[in-house]
Amino acid sequence: MLLRRLIWCALALALAVGSLQFALQRWQAVPLILAAEVFEEQKAEAPEAAEHEHAHADADAHDHAHEEVHEHAHDHGAGAWEPADGVERGFWTWVANVLNAMAMALLVLVVASVAVWRRAAPVGWRTLAAIAAAGWLSLHFWPSLGLPAELPGMDAPALHQRQAWWLLSAASAAGACALLGFGSRAWRWPAAAALLALPFLVGAPQGGDALAGFSGNAREQMQSLEQQFVWATAWLALAFWASLGAAALPLFRRFLQPLLLAGRSGAAQPLAARA
């Protein structure tokens, strides 16, 4: 019963919050991405790539054979499916937003359930607001301090390096929030501070000039778009977690909290009888 209600509540939250996030993205972020894609087509080839192509053109028969294999792989990749611009692309963007909201809704509801079970008492809007704030801090704000949002066409460090640092940053921030939220010992404060500092002691991966290949007006426009995109993604993340926390509160109180309190009191009665 509890699991079924948890899934249905998360699904309802996902449809509502994911649709709201999709609408906000269409208003704030999508125009910036589309503008950056126009400039991406004007991006000049990096000098290293040009030298590589020149050397490749003067290579021997072995290099020509390698080029044929590379062209075949490129042709195979070019045929990979991708959503068409317009309605199809918008639909799959909406699906991605709903799936992401579903995962985050489950996370919020599970953490709220743990809080109710540990306290054996109802939780209010402050608890849900704290959980939403912890989600925003852990999954957006703290990682974005080292890896700000990027527009199409911008150069960046290797993907595996960015993924590893993002996971370290998110896990460290989530661990710090868990210590502060569920811990009671005095040492939780310095431990949380150490966890928050850990990813920055390791250091975020650094690349070269993110706008290498752009020059003149295109570079100036991309710099402006980059700043706008960083702010847009920050406000979108804040709106997402705020709306998720606000929408989760009535659903949690109505459908999940009564079952948790009943189960908690039922589990406590045999212990009291033994005592």
Side-chain angles (χ1 to χ4, degrees):
M1 175 68 76
L2 180 62
L3 179 60
R4 187 188 316 150
R5 288 193 180 189
L6 176 67
I7 293 174
W8 279 112
C9 288
L11 180 59
L13 286 171
L15 290 173
V17 177
S19 297
L20 175 62
Q21 185 76 353
F22 171 74
L24 293 176
Q25 285 177 353
R26 301 290 295 181
W27 172 42
Q28 288 193 323
V30 171
L32 300 175
I33 295 173
L34 295 178
E37 288 178 348
V38 173
F39 288 108
E40 184 182 17
E41 298 174 357
Q42 305 174 14
K43 184 177 181 180
E45 189 176 20
E48 294 81 0
E51 293 174 2
H52 175 75
E53 291 297 329
H54 178 72
H56 192 271
D58 295 336
D60 56 13
H62 174 76
D63 293 322
H64 286 298
H66 175 75
E67 182 181 356
E68 291 177 2
V69 173
H70 175 74
E71 289 178 354
H72 175 73
H74 176 75
D75 292 338
H76 178 74
W81 177 87
E82 63 180 14
D85 292 338
V87 176
E88 185 177 359
R89 184 175 182 178
F91 170 75
W92 288 110
T93 303
W94 175 81
V95 170
N97 276 288
V98 170
L99 291 176
N100 175 67
M102 179 74 177
M104 297 304 104
L106 285 171
L107 178 62
V108 168
L109 294 175
V110 167
V111 175
S113 299
V114 172
V116 170
W117 191 265
R118 283 175 56 89
R119 298 175 185 177
V123 298
W125 66 269
R126 290 183 179 84
T127 300
L128 267 296
I131 294 171
W136 172 77
L137 174 73
S138 303
L139 300 178
H140 173 75
F141 180 71
W142 215 244
S144 71
L145 293 179
L147 293 174
E150 300 166 355
L151 283 168
M154 295 177 60
D155 293 336
L159 179 61
H160 69 277
Q161 295 178 352
R162 287 179 286 155
Q163 289 176 331
W165 192 87
W166 189 95
L167 287 173
L168 173 63
S169 177
S172 298
C177 292
L179 275 176
L180 296 178
F182 295 107
S184 58
R185 306 277 183 156
W187 55 262
R188 71 184 188 277
W189 295 100
L195 282 173
L196 290 174
L198 177 60
F200 300 98
L201 294 176
V202 173
Q206 300 294 327
D209 183 6
L211 298 178
F214 294 100
S215 60
N217 181 63
R219 185 178 182 87
E220 294 178 0
Q221 293 294 328
M222 284 295 295
Q223 287 176 338
S224 176
L225 289 172
E226 178 189 8
Q227 295 175 358
Q228 296 177 56
F229 190 64
V230 169
W231 281 108
T233 53
W235 285 114
L236 283 170
L238 189 60
F240 173 82
W241 285 102
S243 60
L244 182 59
L249 179 59
L251 288 177
F252 182 78
R253 280 179 166 176
R254 172 67 177 83
F255 296 105
L256 296 176
Q257 188 163 258
L259 286 180
L260 289 164
L261 292 173
R264 188 69 174 84
S265 61
Q269 287 177 358
L271 295 178
R274 291 178 186 177

